[in-house]
Amino acid sequence: MKRIPHTARRGAVVGLAIASVALLTACGTSSGSGDSGGEAATELGDYEGQVSILAWPGYVEDGSNDPAVDWVTPFVDETGCKVTTKTFGTSDEALNLMKTGDYDVVSASGDASLRLVAAGDVAPVNTDLIPNYEGIYPFLKDQAWNSVDGVSYGVPHGYGANLLMYNTEEFPTAPTSWDVVFDKASENAGKVTAYDSPIYIADAAVYLMAHEPDLGIENPYALDEEQLAAAVDLLKVQRESIGEYWSDYLKEIQAFTTGDSVVGTSWQVIENVLEGEGAATDVVLPEEGATGWSDTWMIASEAKNPNCAYAWLDYIASPEANAAATSYFGEAPSSDAACDYREDCEAYHAGDADYASQIWYWSTPIEKCLDGRTDVTCTDYAAWTAAWQEIKG
């Protein structure tokens, strides 16, 4: 999966009212994850003076890209933890970089988080040492993409849904189903668009859950071989009507502006940009529900700077910093308190638990079925990657 920072603000100003970081109370020496064999810290010690962060572009801004966009400097000033950052373009790239042992913290999407856990590259997180964790929306906590067997492996960042975008001139009545990109895709052959990633297979699974219940799909990320084959078959048929697969959101904006695309998967922030440019587009969360993302800040199992790592996880979950980061990227924040520092929370349905319940957040497909089945083996991400290559040809 490739994610691009949504920095096309079109003149919008990001509010950066960053408050002081709440210092984590600690005593003694650190028992950070790197010192405890992959176990969660039980207490924190002195800050090490530095922290190395691996993140999606747009998640760790220090003013070097835009002087007006900086939520890192207040963290450094408060903690003394100097931040070094490396960005990555895909989850696979992040996985490979984490294996180097050079990073203390990573922002992991749901298609990477369980792979990081399984590889032993990240450690459990003691949320009692993260005061701002308490204010995070309950529907983002203790979920399959950020926890294992009831043990938390990180702190939720922001979230969003993969919505259905449509050209309002081609669709004067808003579509209510994903059938316009699946069973009815041929009606707009050559002008249908879809997200370019193996994780998009889950979008087909969400559709099949509603329209082919006999397949028995209960979780779009828990597909046995028969269920995966059904999703692949659906996507192969869809492929005949696809004009372009997209991963760069700027290309999708251009395609909907020119009319090369008239219907397909999109994000709320893309609609916000198009609306600002007067484009004839809109988005909807279809009746079947949708996939989506909720990224997680995770700490390396061999973190060299675990105290500063914990400080970062607490800071980025604080209302002011979280509001700044999620607004800049174009997603809902992780807490109601963050909405005090944003004016667009309603557009992102922030805190709307009913809306959020319709989203199947990206989770890493693994052989242990995420839907709880034990009588079959589910297909893992490697199988999905091979299937995606087959679909695209």
Side-chain angles (χ1 to χ4, degrees):
M1 178 188 61
K2 182 179 181 181
R3 291 266 294 284
I4 306 296
H6 310 317
T7 54
R9 299 295 93 190
R10 296 300 187 268
V13 177
V14 179
L16 295 174
I18 306 296
S20 297
V21 179
L23 290 175
L24 300 175
T25 303
C27 60
T29 59
S30 168
S31 57
S33 54
D35 300 321
S36 54
E39 296 180 358
T42 56
E43 61 181 16
L44 297 177
D46 295 336
Y47 296 138
E48 299 87 357
Q50 60 188 358
V51 63
S52 179
I53 302 175
L54 184 63
W56 288 110
Y59 270 23
V60 186
E61 292 294 314
D62 61 2
S64 57
N65 291 320
D66 182 342
V69 181
D70 180 4
W71 52 87
V72 171
T73 298
F75 169 77
V76 177
D77 291 344
E78 182 66 32
T79 65
C81 300
K82 181 181 179 182
V83 174
T84 56
T85 308
K86 181 173 179 61
T87 60
F88 56 86
T90 69
S91 289
D92 286 346
E93 182 182 353
L95 286 163
N96 290 331
L97 287 169
M98 281 298 289
K99 292 185 184 303
T100 66
D102 293 337
Y103 306 97
D104 301 306
V105 175
V106 60
S107 65
S109 290
D111 62 338
S113 53
L114 293 189
R115 287 190 282 168
L116 287 166
V117 172
D121 293 331
V122 293
V125 168
N126 184 347
T127 57
D128 290 339
L129 299 177
I130 303 172
N132 282 305
Y133 185 82
E134 183 178 359
I136 291 174
Y137 293 128
F139 57 80
L140 296 180
K141 297 178 179 179
D142 304 318
Q143 299 298 328
W145 60 89
N146 58 32
S147 301
V148 177
D149 296 331
V151 177
S152 175
Y153 274 82
V155 173
H157 178 69
Y159 68 99
N162 294 311
L163 301 170
L164 175 63
M165 176 171 281
Y166 61 96
N167 182 301
T168 55
E169 295 175 352
E170 296 292 330
F171 294 88
T173 299
T176 60
S177 169
W178 287 108
D179 61 2
V180 293
V181 300
F182 288 120
D183 290 338
K184 298 180 180 179
S186 60
E187 295 177 9
N188 292 283
K191 294 189 175 183
V192 177
T193 188
Y195 193 58
D196 190 1
S197 169
I199 207 68
Y200 182 68
I201 292 172
D203 291 57
V206 168
Y207 184 73
L208 291 172
M209 286 172 67
H211 295 275
E212 293 190 27
D214 289 346
L215 285 169
I217 300 174
E218 298 291 338
N219 181 317
Y221 306 101
L223 305 181
D224 59 35
E225 290 186 1
E226 179 183 357
Q227 294 165 340
L228 177 62
V232 169
D233 288 344
L234 180 62
L235 290 168
K236 284 182 176 179
V237 174
Q238 183 198 53
R239 177 71 181 90
E240 298 173 2
S241 298
I242 294 290
E244 180 181 41
Y245 289 101
W246 70 276
S247 57
D248 182 338
Y249 88 112
L250 293 175
K251 291 183 178 179
E252 188 179 41
I253 289 173
Q254 181 181 17
F256 271 92
T257 300
T258 61
D260 289 338
S261 293
V262 299
V263 67
T265 312
S266 191
W267 298 328
Q268 181 64 52
V269 69
I270 294 176
E271 168 56 20
N272 292 350
V273 173
L274 286 166
E275 182 180 357
E277 295 180 347
T281 60
D282 205 348
V283 290
V284 64
L285 181 66
E287 59 193 13
E288 297 92 351
T291 60
W293 72 88
S294 173
D295 293 345
T296 304
W297 289 104
M298 310 181 86
I299 296 178
S301 56
E302 299 296 331
K304 298 180 179 65
N305 305 290
N307 298 296
C308 281
Y310 265 88
W312 175 260
L313 263 62
D314 186 52
Y315 172 76
I316 200 63
S318 68
E320 300 85 356
N322 187 256
T326 56
S327 175
Y328 183 70
F329 193 85
E331 58 192 334
S334 64
S335 69
D336 268 338
C339 287
D340 292 340
Y341 301 90
R342 289 181 58 171
E343 298 179 354
D344 58 352
C345 275
E346 185 175 355
Y348 288 94
H349 300 273
D352 186 337
D354 181 64
Y355 184 89
S357 71
Q358 301 174 65
I359 303 173
W360 289 93
Y361 298 96
W362 279 328
S363 299
T364 308
I366 56 177
E367 290 186 357
K368 180 181 179 181
C369 297
L370 296 176
D371 59 7
R373 285 181 294 168
T374 58
D375 58 334
V376 296
T377 298
C378 279
T379 52
D380 62 11
Y381 194 79
W384 283 40
T385 299
W388 186 242
Q389 294 170 347
E390 180 184 341
I391 290 162
K392 293 184 65 179

